[in-house]
Amino acid sequence: MASDQDLVVETVRDILAGHEPFALTAERPWDAGLWADLAEAGLTGVGLPEEAGGSGGELADAIAIARTLAAGAAAVPVAEQLLVAGPALLAAGLDLPSPEEPLTIAVEGAVTAEPVDDGDGPGRWTLTGTATDVAWAGVARHVAVLTAAPEGIEGAVLALVDTEGLATSDARNLAGEPRGSLVLGGAPAAGALLTPARAGEVRARYALARAVQLAAALERVLAWTVQYAGERQQFGRPLGKFQAIQMELAEMAGEVTAVTALVDAAVQTLGRGEDVVLAAAAAKVRAGAAVEVVARLAHQVHGAIGFTQEHKLHHLTRRCWSWRDEAGSELTWSRVLGVGLLTEGGDGLWPALTRVV
Amino acid sequence: MSSSLTLAPAPPSEAAEEVRTQVREFLAAEQAAGTFSTHVDTWLSGVDPAFSRKLGERGWLGMTWPKEYGGHERSAMERYAVTEELLAAGAPVAAHWIADRQSGPNLLRYGTEVQRQEILPRIAAGECYFVIGMSEPDSGSDLASIRTRAARNGDGDWVVNGAKIWTSNAHHSHYGIVLVRTGPPGEGPRGKHQGLTQLLVDLSLPGISINPIRILDGGHHFNEVVFEDVVVPGDMLLGEEGAGWHQVTAELAFERSGPERFLSTYPLLAEFGRRAADSGDAAQLATLGRLSARLLALRQLSLRIAAALDRGELPDIPAALVKDVGTTFEGDVVDEIRRVVEVTPSLDSPDPLDRALAEAQLHAPGYTLRGGTNEILRGIVARGLGLR
Ligand SMILES: Cc1cc2nc3c(=O)[nH]c(=O)nc-3n(C[C@H](O)[C@H](O)[C@H](O)COP(=O)(O)OP(=O)(O)OC[C@H]3O[C@@H](n4cnc5c(N)ncnc54)[C@H](O)[C@@H]3O)c2cc1C
């Protein structure tokens, strides 16, 4: 399908071609070289308006970039920056840091926010406590922290924290991507109060960003597996000629196609300014459910070679196994969706279903 | 991914949302008046000619067909909205379902002018019902192996002998589109696709007997239809002699693409939604969320197919894929719900959830068989992936 995003996708692919994915370790927790190339090409500011310091372009461009990078198992915080933290800061009326410096989002943990008058005008907050499960902790220079507002105030605070000098723990997800904690030292930071609805949107955007990444990764896993089944020969035939293998690949294709259709539709709700929470919840849950089938069958078809770090498959399957429970677990978002569909009572389920996307 | 599997997203349709509202109002009024009660899988088992005629009066049958044949020249997206609302409500739509979904479109593509003029307006009015005469006792998935034969007699009419089976609702229907062998198979593995022909058969003709076969819940929907020297007028040939295989394949694309391939058990899910709303139970709410996410993805897939039909495409491979994923979902609804609710499934239970669960369970084996089994569908998808 030709789309307006073909050019940006080509550019990202060209850059990716120069950076093979590698197994992430504590010593090498991200692909700094890839980030530098993406930043130099202006791709780390796409979808963020130029007047705010971004590179301009559409939301659809940012989505296309995140998809391409996810399919390439790129170890860079682009989805967090372009799809979640950047737009959240802008929507809250806060300044963006330079898009060349990696920016992430933190929504979990025990963080207290207090307003402070440090002489820098209104909208200054001190954040203390520990943000947990922070994607790219120790890698991202800035983090947009979403946390509860102080006692007596409804809603949440979103503040932009400079991570320079902050203590981080070295926790990593199943793919080795940094997911540590960040101990906030209480230095004043620019922040804004969000209504509960706006705070919910930030969380939903984060979940949707992971769903977008999952959709892209699952699509690529299917493509790799179809290709492998065409190349690997046993009993004198390519694996793909065996009906048992065809059934498995067809089942994978069904899952992947379903995920893509729903994630695409959920992304449209962002562009239309509709309530994104239930759409994001559904997309995240559906994508997560597909991981079970797609990763299991992909490994089954690849045999032992796919069970090694020598083969590329693990770069995506390990990410998928983690992403499905990040930005809110699959269980959490299933409940959010279940509850949200019943807000008008049991009889309102069908009308609610036809409104989500 | 292979482009034969993916389809462009469906553009939003205001007209579809408009007709959706009208159908909802109609269904609420009918339910309030007590003209129907909700059941699972009503597109197989809910036969109600009076209800079908009401849909015809409102212009909700033959929706996409030309006006000259009693149709309404509306989009596939609008038709999608109507059928989806009817299924979600568990309304009795079985009488007209096959005629409206596939026999009518088949006649539009391949029928003669006389056939179209005579039959299509009656389908659109909700008065004329069709059966699918494909399967035979010895021919299921291997459809091209059918043995029902038709030969021309001296008057140019067709003389049909053989038997069809699993013929849903033949005892309530007027016509069948019957696949018969009219010529010898050709050479090679695909040779058996040659010599097949579709006939438009009036089910009241002498020599046809319709014998009931009961399904698991005791319901009579299946039949065996036996043809003994049945004389079918020569002008009831549908399409071309010998082109039956091609025509059947096109017909199946319509058969496989609609919302009935994932909503057959929706009335059970709706009942479960009421239960979860009352209980507030966390596990039930999560299950509702998970099942709903799957349903929402299927809706998007099915909408994409409707939009492709509006663009004049025949998305047979995506339709096979949707049917595989969708009918698997229909059965999973039963399993997932009973994991998180105390149930005693029974058709006689005073509890609507127990009843819906019983209906859905007893119909479950059919979801992944009818219209081509999921194994056969996956073979089609595998072809779309370039594997065969
Ligand atoms: C509710 C319902 C309504 C129906 N209504 C109609 C109707 O109105 N008109 C009509 O003509 N037919 C109808 N059918 C019949 C339906 O089309 C057939 O059941 C279907 O095509 C399968 O044929 P079969 O039942 O003979 O099974 P078989 O073809 O004998 O298959 C049995 C099993 O073997 C598997 N199998 C077969 N071949 C292969 C293969 N090559 N590779 C892998 N696995 C294979 C199948 O997937 C299945 O699991 C209906 C069926 C049902 C359940």
Side-chain angles (χ1 to χ4, degrees), chain A residues 243 247, chain B residues 41 43-44 98 130-143 164-170 177 215 221-222 252 255-256 363 365-377 388:
Chain A
Q243 199 191 33
M247 300 288 111
Chain B
D41 200 16
W43 65 275
L44 175 68
I98 302 298
F130 269 69
V131 300
I132 305 166
M134 296 188 192
S135 306
E136 296 184 3
D138 292 330
S139 302
S141 301
D142 185 9
L143 181 59
K164 294 292 170 181
I165 199 167
W166 322 128
T167 324
S168 302
N169 293 318
I177 295 182
I215 63 167
H221 316 294
F222 272 166
L252 286 171
E255 170 168 355
R256 286 173 179 157
H363 277 222
Y367 309 146
T368 50
L369 292 173
R370 57 185 170 194
T373 71
N374 287 29
E375 288 76 14
I376 296 301
L377 297 172
R388 359 182 348 204

Side-chain angles (χ1 to χ4, degrees), chain A residues 79-307:
Chain A
E80 287 82 356
Q81 173 157 323
L82 296 189
L83 303 186
V84 195
L89 291 172
L90 288 173
L94 299 170
D95 287 341
L96 283 182
S98 159
E100 299 185 3
E101 296 175 348
L103 163 71
T104 191
I105 177 89
V107 297
E108 306 285 337
V111 177
T112 323
E114 290 296 338
V116 60
D117 182 3
D118 66 347
D120 260 355
R124 303 288 290 173
W125 298 78
T126 58
L127 272 62
T128 49
T130 304
T132 54
D133 299 319
V134 183
W136 309 104
V139 165
R141 171 63 195 266
H142 305 275
V143 54
V145 180
L146 182 72
T147 193
E151 278 283 312
I153 306 178
E154 208 195 7
V157 173
L158 183 77
L160 178 61
V161 173
D162 187 337
T163 65
E164 180 95 323
L166 296 186
T168 41
S169 71
D170 171 39
R172 288 176 297 119
N173 71 9
L174 299 174
E177 293 179 318
R179 296 295 186 258
S181 304
L182 214 53
V183 183
L184 302 172
L193 265 177
L194 306 189
T195 62
R198 291 268 172 254
E201 267 171 38
V202 174
R203 290 170 190 278
R205 270 185 164 270
Y206 194 6
L208 186 50
R210 282 289 182 268
V212 165
Q213 292 176 290
L214 281 166
L218 292 171
E219 230 169 74
R220 182 62 57 86
V221 167
L222 171 66
W224 282 349
T225 311
V226 169
Q227 191 185 354
Y228 185 77
E231 290 165 0
R232 168 81 172 166
Q233 303 234 356
Q234 288 295 289
F235 300 97
R237 294 196 273 168
L239 298 179
K241 293 291 169 199
F242 295 104
Q243 199 191 33
I245 300 291
Q246 292 176 359
M247 300 288 111
E248 294 182 339
L249 293 171
E251 190 179 351
M252 290 172 69
E255 289 296 295
V256 169
T257 311
V259 169
T260 306
L262 184 54
V263 169
D264 284 355
V267 164
Q268 290 303 313
T269 65
L270 276 179
R272 290 200 295 256
E274 285 168 33
D275 178 19
V276 68
V277 175
L278 295 188
K284 178 77 172 6
V285 170
R286 184 65 186 91
V291 171
E292 287 176 19
V293 177
V294 175
R296 173 171 56 82
L297 294 177
H299 276 287
Q300 189 67 18
V301 172
H302 276 84
I305 188 68
F307 188 47

Side-chain angles (χ1 to χ4, degrees), chain B residues 138-161:
Chain B
D138 292 330
S139 302
S141 301
D142 185 9
L143 181 59
S145 70
I146 55 151
R147 282 187 257 167
T148 298
R149 283 167 294 112
R152 296 246 194 209
N153 65 13
D155 304 330
D157 295 332
W158 298 95
V159 181
V160 183
N161 278 288

Side-chain angles (χ1 to χ4, degrees), chain B residues 347-379:
Chain B
L347 294 171
D348 313 314
S349 173
D351 176 31
L353 183 60
D354 279 351
R355 268 200 319 272
L357 202 95
E359 291 179 359
Q361 182 66 77
L362 289 170
H363 277 222
Y367 309 146
T368 50
L369 292 173
R370 57 185 170 194
T373 71
N374 287 29
E375 288 76 14
I376 296 301
L377 297 172
R378 285 180 191 180

